[in-house]
Amino acid sequence: MFLTTNTCEGKRDCIKQCPTKAIRFINGKAFSCLTCGICYKNCPNGAIFENSYGGYVVDRAKCNGCGMCMYNCPTNNITIEDGIVYGICSRCGVCSEVCANRVDGWEFEKSKQLNLIRAFDILNPPLDNVPSKKESETKLVTRTCFGTDTEKCILCGRCSQYCPTGAIRVKIDRDEGICSECRLCSDVCPNGSMNKHQIVSKSSCTLCLNCMKSCPNNAISVEDFEIIVNKINQKPAGKIISCLNCGLCADLCENESLKNVDGKLRYDPTSDTENRNHEKAIEACPIHTLREDDEMFIYDEFDEVELSTLAGFCVSCGKCVQVCDEVGARQFMTASWDGKVTDDCISCGICTEVCQEGAITLHRGSISVDLDKCILCENCAVHCPVDAIPKTTMYKNEIKDGFNFIEQKLCMHCGLCHKTCSYDAIDEIDGNFVVNEEKCTYCGACKNACPARAFLFERNFKDSIEGI
């Protein structure tokens, strides 16, 4: 919640600005809703919900003014005026903007911890080459995986061809029929006539055409009984996406056929054949490598049907590293994050919406991350429209289009949407706030800030590697 400190001067600016009338003046001090959630738990109509900021909002379209929230409020903070519920804090942060003495409870707790660490460092100066308490207690969430050094990668696709589960996807911006130097032709040549540089020994080549059949780019042809490799000496553009080994799919797998064992994904296609629903796990995969296997099925003798299996998850076999030995782009990596974001954050709240682990809480201009819950799946980062969250994958989900409309009958005219929008896409016309569709990017910051749930909002994302 937002706290009133002992330095409150009683000016009541916070009370005047609060859009939900959640702050009262008692004995010369400002006191507000505790955001305890009891109103949310006791609402019989489901008209109160927890928003991305960790506050609570009344959906006026569902509220019938029964008063159960008001009767159950432990601090008697809730009132009903003309059928509208007031007194519930949405944690919008407007009060702290107009009064420097009001602070976010989360920021307050964090500052207390930092002050304790500073005091400890002053009283107990660290020895040489020994990290201070502040440095040693810096918390990180880590994840191990097989990843790609994009500076070394030549986008040949060799790792993708050898991955046993199809967990690596490569998009190459190269015309059909051009050699990608994947060296598959050299691998399948039965007598070594094709070397690793795609040079053919005419004297030993038997024209078995194995190289031609295996070439994924149709870059090999035959002319006058000779093998011809079509090569262009240029580094292609494109992207390589591989399973992050985050384990989110295992967490969401409803039939427990996919598990995370000691940090490695393991799959048993025969497990729980009566419940073959993998839709939730497939849909939630942050980089969409997880999918149904088109080549392998399990036969269910009882129902006499073929059941689909899964593909696209990394089993940590290391084959991609072995076959990338010439280039050395595939490596065993450790990713880490301290939960911090850049100043580019626009409070859109997309990260809180897509986080399957419930690890992110939105703040004005920043987020807080529960690192004990975070599994570093990077779903928040691949959806962030301003790249304020760090990521290791080249995958990206970008906002394609959407719909945004303010229902005037629900609007409280608080102006929070207007203040929050980083793109000046909310216009005030004759006292009403309306969306300027020409400027709107459908980030959702206005929707998340609205304490009246007055926005009719939709957005669509586009996959940065569609078609592969």
Side-chain angles (χ1 to χ4, degrees):
M1 64 177 184
F2 283 90
L3 305 172
T4 300
T5 64
N6 291 328
T7 56
C8 177
E9 299 174 358
K11 293 182 179 180
R12 307 192 187 194
D13 289 337
C14 58
I15 297 175
K16 296 175 184 176
Q17 293 295 322
C18 180
T20 59
K21 301 181 182 179
I23 308 174
R24 294 180 293 165
F25 199 67
I26 303 175
N27 296 329
K29 301 286 185 181
F31 289 91
S32 63
C33 164
L34 302 176
T35 59
C36 63
I38 292 179
C39 55
Y40 159 74
K41 295 175 182 177
N42 285 276
C43 179
N45 304 306
I48 300 176
F49 66 97
E50 185 176 7
N51 64 12
S52 301
Y53 295 92
Y56 294 89
V57 175
V58 178
D59 186 340
R60 288 169 57 193
K62 293 181 178 179
C63 178
N64 63 359
C66 68
M68 289 300 293
C69 55
M70 179 176 65
Y71 301 138
N72 285 280
C73 180
T75 58
N76 296 320
N77 208 62
I78 300 176
T79 59
I80 300 178
E81 303 174 19
D82 298 326
I84 299 176
V85 175
Y86 292 101
I88 302 176
C89 177
S90 65
R91 285 183 56 85
C92 64
V94 171
C95 57
S96 64
E97 292 179 357
V98 297
C99 176
N101 296 322
R102 281 184 68 79
V103 295
D104 188 317
W106 172 73
E107 292 287 352
F108 182 71
E109 287 298 321
K110 188 171 70 170
S111 65
K112 281 202 307 181
Q113 293 173 6
L114 290 176
N115 287 334
L116 288 173
I117 291 173
R118 292 191 190 103
F120 181 89
D121 289 342
I122 293 173
L123 296 174
N124 303 275
L127 301 174
D128 293 340
N129 300 322
V130 178
S132 67
K133 188 175 180 65
K134 180 178 178 180
E135 292 172 340
S136 62
E137 290 193 357
T138 299
K139 195 168 185 179
L140 295 172
V141 57
T142 60
R143 183 198 73 239
T144 57
C145 64
F146 285 94
T148 304
D149 184 338
T150 55
E151 295 296 322
K152 294 181 178 179
C153 181
I154 61 173
L155 294 171
C156 66
R158 183 174 172 82
C159 55
S160 175
Q161 295 292 332
Y162 276 97
C163 179
T165 62
I168 306 174
R169 302 164 65 188
V170 181
K171 180 180 181 180
I172 307 173
D173 296 332
R174 180 193 284 113
D175 294 334
E176 179 78 7
I178 305 299
C179 175
S180 64
E181 300 182 40
C182 65
R183 293 178 282 138
L184 286 176
C185 53
S186 176
D187 292 348
V188 300
C189 184
N191 58 4
S193 297
M194 176 82 73
N195 68 14
K196 62 183 180 181
H197 301 295
Q198 296 79 53
I199 299 174
V200 182
S201 173
K202 298 178 183 179
S203 60
S204 60
C205 178
T206 60
L207 279 177
C208 67
L209 305 185
N210 220 19
C211 57
M212 187 175 176
K213 296 173 186 176
S214 67
C215 181
N217 297 316
N218 297 320
I220 299 178
S221 58
V222 180
E223 295 181 12
D224 295 329
F225 293 92
E226 291 184 8
I227 294 293
I228 305 297
V229 181
N230 187 15
K231 298 185 66 174
I232 296 179
N233 189 20
Q234 63 179 17
K235 184 177 181 179
K239 293 183 178 180
I240 177 169
I241 312 296
S242 61
C243 172
L244 299 176
N245 195 42
C246 64
L248 181 60
C249 53
D251 290 349
L252 299 178
C253 186
E254 297 177 359
N255 58 22
E256 297 186 352
S257 59
L258 189 62
K259 293 184 178 182
N260 192 330
V261 181
D262 297 328
K264 300 173 182 177
L265 292 173
R266 294 293 179 261
Y267 177 56
D268 180 359
T270 64
S271 175
D272 195 4
T273 55
E274 294 183 3
N275 180 13
R276 303 299 300 177
N277 187 7
H278 296 113
E279 292 181 5
K280 189 175 181 181
I282 292 174
E283 180 65 26
C285 179
I287 58 174
H288 295 291
T289 58
L290 190 67
R291 61 194 181 277
E292 289 188 351
D293 197 332
D294 295 330
E295 299 179 357
M296 188 175 77
F297 298 87
I298 299 297
Y299 185 73
D300 185 350
E301 296 181 356
F302 180 79
D303 292 327
E304 296 184 349
V305 294
E306 287 186 336
L307 302 176
S308 62
T309 60
L310 283 177
F313 55 93
C314 178
V315 293
S316 303
C317 66
K319 185 65 177 179
C320 55
V321 176
Q322 296 173 17
V323 298
C324 189
D325 56 343
E326 292 287 326
V327 180
R330 289 293 293 181
Q331 302 171 3
F332 183 76
M333 297 179 173
T334 299
S336 63
W337 186 33
D338 59 3
K340 294 179 181 178
V341 300
T342 69
D343 294 336
D344 295 324
C345 177
I346 57 174
S347 302
C348 67
I350 294 177
C351 55
T352 64
E353 295 173 20
V354 300
C355 180
Q356 295 284 341
E357 302 294 324
I360 302 177
T361 301
L362 182 64
H363 302 273
R364 295 291 291 274
S366 66
I367 59 174
S368 60
V369 182
D370 187 340
L371 297 180
D372 290 327
K373 293 181 178 180
C374 178
I375 60 174
L376 207 58
C377 67
E378 301 191 16
N379 207 18
C380 54
V382 301
H383 282 88
C384 181
V386 292
D387 296 325
I389 304 175
K391 65 185 179 75
T392 61
T393 178
M394 297 179 75
Y395 184 87
K396 184 68 180 176
N397 261 327
E398 300 172 349
I399 299 175
K400 181 180 179 181
D401 52 36
F403 174 81
N404 198 6
F405 177 78
I406 303 175
E407 176 55 69
Q408 297 301 325
K409 292 181 180 179
L410 298 179
C411 179
M412 297 173 63
H413 304 95
C414 64
L416 270 177
C417 55
H418 177 73
K419 296 176 183 177
T420 301
C421 183
S422 300
Y423 303 99
D424 297 325
I426 305 292
D427 297 331
E428 186 175 5
I429 302 175
D430 297 330
N432 293 326
F433 293 96
V434 296
V435 178
N436 186 330
E437 290 284 349
E438 294 182 357
K439 294 182 179 180
C440 183
T441 63
Y442 309 106
C443 69
C446 53
K447 172 184 69 74
N448 279 313
C450 180
R453 208 174 191 178
F455 280 81
L456 300 177
F457 182 87
E458 289 183 6
R459 79 164 74 83
N460 298 309
F461 288 95
K462 64 178 179 180
D463 188 335
S464 62
I465 53 172
E466 285 180 335
I468 67 170

